[in-house]
Amino acid sequence: MTAPTITGVTPDAATQRDIYRRMALIKANDERARKVIRAGKLVLPYYSPRGQEVIPSALSVLLTNDDYICTIYRGIHDMLAKGVPLKDLWAELAGRVTGTCKGKGGPMHITHPKSGVMVTTGIVGSSMPIANGLAWASQIKGDGRVTVAYFGDGASNIGAFHESLNLAAVWKLPVVFVCQNNEWGEHTAYEKATSARQIADRAVGYAMPGARVDGNDPFAMYAAAKDAVDRARAGGGPTLIEAMTYRFHGHVLGDADAYMDKARKEAAVAADPVPRFRAHLIAEGIATEAELAEVEAAIEAELDEAVAHALASDYPTVEELACDVFAPEAVVGEAA
Amino acid sequence: MSDTSQITILQAINKALTDAMAEDDSVLVLGEEVADPEEGGIVGVTKGLSTRFGPHRVRSTPISEQAIIGAAIGASLAGFKPVAEIMLMNFTTVAMDMIVNHAAKLRFMSGGQTHVPIVIRTMTGAGFGTGGQHCDYLEAWFAHTAGIKVVAPSNAADAYGLMRSAIEDPDPVLFIENLPTYWTPSAAPQPGARVPLGKASVLSPGQDVTVIAYARMVQEAQAAVASLKAGGISAELIDLRSVAPWDRRTVLESVARTGRALVVHEAVTPFGVGAEISAVIHEELFSRLKAPVKRLGGAFCPVPFSKPLETAFAPRAADIEAAVRSLLAAA
Ligand SMILES: Cc1ncc(C[n+]2csc(CCOP(=O)(O)OP(=O)(O)O)c2C)c(N)n1
Ligand SMILES: [Mg+2]
């Protein structure tokens, strides 16, 4: 975590504290989720974002609720950083009718338009084409919104990535493509599946700016995100950010991660960006230990409340199977 | 291996692939995570193949479904018999052009000069809380396409025998594996035994009604049939095994005797495989039917995440039993 090289893009003290709060929330939420699932209180496929906290936190401080994101199954950090309310999120994880999607979407398909979370996809690569459409809408309306498409390193090998980057560049769309390169796609190591030395290089082929940054460094990530978001807002078109990070856990909760190199993993965990940034804030006098402890305690209390709310909520009734397939009035003739 | 021993469907498919690769050098395997460094598939169906047959013949791929099926097609045009894995059935959507416009059609469009002897293995099935994009049964889309065959075994012996036949078949075959029942044990196959494509199996003979099912629904139907039997109703259970082409002869012979038929699948009912089978039964046996053919399928919605909804989504033994009783009551 070094001082940023570009002048004028250092987040101010309040912004740094804001970034930390989001990171701490993601970390605490992840720890809580794994605990609750392991205790058997909830059953769901869970894709931990642990280790990737910085990326959406440093980016989301540059966004408002009006800005859009499209994210993926491993996207709970992106949602939390963007501001999806914990209670609604947890109720969805629990499949309860009080959830963001009435329990019908589940953890891989959280949608929460109020906080700008427009799509969460379980299909690798599919966040990007849709992000382009949101960005196109903003371009037509001139509403100044920015759309962020989050995806993984593995997703850069699917056709949708290439089609989307090209389209966004041709149309100069206000979109930011954020590849969270955690070195793994399920059990496949980056270099086994990806020809590019770095994914950022792929931007060259689509004539858009591309940057590889340390996605675990809040300053580097903020600077790259600000550059991209400012460009998008100013009508300068899309950017590809390759944010380097590391997946602390197996692909999905329950995956024993035996295929992951132990030493590499230990080194990444030892460099955990959350306590590192915390220590930095205290050392630089940006926040005191007591202030951060208070932030963390508030998060824990909010989590207690969210989990309790989720578990106490009702499941949707089976009538919900027939609802939301079409608009209530849209079915002409007899429903199947 | 004695036929009294039991193995799982997962083991049976692994064995079929191993035996086919050992016997025929032209059999290749490719797909996401299929090689051993990536743990031989997400649940280990292809475990051991890359270690035994080497990285030329067994390849893990990038997450690139179009490229996977395209490479399988190309290698098949040049004389190989690739078995391509599309991890989950929903991900076939990303490769539909390759499957529908190319694999299924090249024989016809080339006037028979080329053909595409590939197998596309894929897994699916509701039950694990994976929600709307990970467990659909989409077999009707493929059955609706001329030039590709579709199979969906329900037990280990059929899985083995159908895989051996699918690999040897000169045309593309979509091989659908049910995720929740991978680990269910059943009688082990005879080594080398083939199950012909397009041939159903009558699992239990009966006189009052014919129940036609495939994949996981066979297990549900077996439970229903046993319960009906205890109540004095004799249901004939047909495991279709092959969805396209399907065994019209076995089905029509049975329904001609019983006069009543129920088709059960996990896929949604409208425009489904049940509709096709029902239509053919009506066309062929109209005057001999004692009641209109019934269909039972998944609810007409995306697979829901929430547990009670997911449980209610696909037909269960009790639903099958109730449908049979209503068929009998209709007479
Ligand atoms: C089209 C498609 N193919 C395969 C999968 C199965 N799958 C789910 S996650 C994943 C790995 C994705 O890796 P990456 O893009 O790096 O994202 P990460 O999980 O590391 O965040 C795969 C292959 C899928 N969901 N969609
Ligand atoms: Mg990854």
Side-chain angles (χ1 to χ4, degrees), chain A residues 187-213:
Chain A
H187 300 176
T188 304
Y190 174 87
E191 60 282 356
K192 288 282 279 291
T194 309
S195 60
R197 191 176 52 90
Q198 48 177 26
I199 290 167
D201 288 351
R202 291 185 164 167
V204 175
Y206 303 105
M208 77 170 69
R212 175 183 261 204
V213 297

Side-chain angles (χ1 to χ4, degrees), chain A residues 73-74 122 124 152-155 182 184-186 251, chain B residues 32 63 65 91:
Chain A
Y73 51 89
R74 190 186 319 286
V124 167
D153 46 293
N182 60 12
W184 289 94
E186 289 199 346
H251 171 64
Chain B
E32 291 158 23
I63 310 169
E65 281 78 9
F91 313 154

Side-chain angles (χ1 to χ4, degrees), chain B residues 32-175:
Chain B
E32 291 158 23
E33 325 249 289
V34 296
D36 289 332
E38 290 75 48
E39 307 207 321
I42 48 166
V43 295
V45 176
T46 51
K47 223 182 205 96
L49 298 179
S50 70
T51 302
R52 176 151 173 203
F53 300 107
H56 262 311
R57 292 179 62 197
V58 181
R59 291 209 174 165
S60 285
T61 65
I63 310 169
S64 306
E65 281 78 9
Q66 288 200 68
I68 292 168
I69 301 301
I73 294 171
S76 80
L77 293 176
F80 287 95
K81 294 178 188 143
V83 179
E85 175 178 315
I86 296 295
M87 191 180 281
L88 295 181
M89 191 162 210
N90 283 84
F91 313 154
T92 61
T93 56
V94 183
M96 280 311 246
D97 164 56
M98 282 293 143
I99 301 172
V100 172
N101 290 324
H102 296 89
K105 295 180 181 170
L106 289 182
R107 178 190 287 277
F108 184 87
M109 296 193 304
S110 72
Q113 297 176 92
T114 62
H115 66 119
V116 181
I118 68 172
V119 177
I120 302 171
R121 286 187 44 241
T122 194
M123 22 188 143
T124 196
F128 287 151
T130 50
Q133 296 177 336
H134 280 68
C135 52
D136 282 329
Y137 265 92
L138 304 173
E139 68 277 17
W141 299 3
F142 300 93
H144 194 63
T145 301
I148 182 164
K149 298 175 181 174
V150 181
V151 302
S154 72
N155 61 55
D158 287 347
Y160 180 90
L162 284 170
M163 180 57 81
R164 297 302 307 267
S165 297
I167 291 171
E168 286 160 1
D169 195 85
D171 289 307
V173 179
L174 180 71
F175 192 97

Side-chain angles (χ1 to χ4, degrees), chain A residues 8 11 19-20 75 85 103 120 155 159 180 193 196 202 232 247 260 274 280 282 292 314 320 328 336:
Chain A
I19 293 172
Y20 179 75
T120 299
Q180 306 194 19
R202 291 185 164 167
R247 196 184 76 194
M260 292 171 84
V274 185
H280 172 88
I282 295 169
L292 297 184
D314 289 332
E320 283 291 341

Side-chain angles (χ1 to χ4, degrees), chain A residues 17-169:
Chain A
R17 287 192 293 269
D18 189 359
I19 293 172
Y20 179 75
R21 185 191 58 77
R22 295 174 204 236
M23 288 168 58
L25 171 64
I26 294 163
K27 175 171 175 282
N29 190 79
D30 177 76
E31 281 159 2
R32 185 66 66 98
R34 284 184 291 114
K35 194 168 137 200
V36 168
I37 297 167
R38 285 231 158 90
K41 286 188 200 152
L42 288 183
V43 178
L44 62 141
Y46 182 69
Y47 304 88
S48 172
R50 195 65 183 86
Q52 305 182 197
E53 291 86 351
V54 170
I55 300 165
S57 299
L59 199 163
S60 296
V61 296
L62 297 157
L63 306 176
T64 72
N65 279 347
D66 288 341
D67 293 312
Y68 298 127
I69 71 166
C70 295
T71 186
I72 63 171
Y73 51 89
R74 190 186 319 286
I76 204 165
H77 55 322
D78 306 331
M79 299 160 200
L80 289 170
K82 192 68 174 51
V84 174
L86 270 185
K87 277 184 163 180
D88 305 19
L89 181 71
W90 271 87
E92 190 63 26
L93 300 184
R96 301 310 210 268
V97 72
T98 49
T100 50
C101 312
K102 303 183 202 165
K104 296 162 85 169
M108 282 199 265
H109 307 301
I110 306 275
T111 300
H112 194 257
K114 279 191 211 133
S115 56
V117 177
M118 302 308 286
V119 177
T120 299
T121 184
I123 305 298
V124 167
S126 294
S127 59
M128 294 171 268
I130 302 172
N132 276 347
L134 290 160
W136 181 34
S138 292
Q139 191 180 55
I140 293 168
K141 294 188 210 165
D143 62 15
R145 295 179 194 207
V146 168
T147 301
V148 176
Y150 290 110
F151 56 98
D153 46 293
S156 77
N157 296 318
I158 205 158
F161 166 88
H162 298 273
E163 295 182 25
S164 302
L165 262 65
N166 184 61
L167 185 93

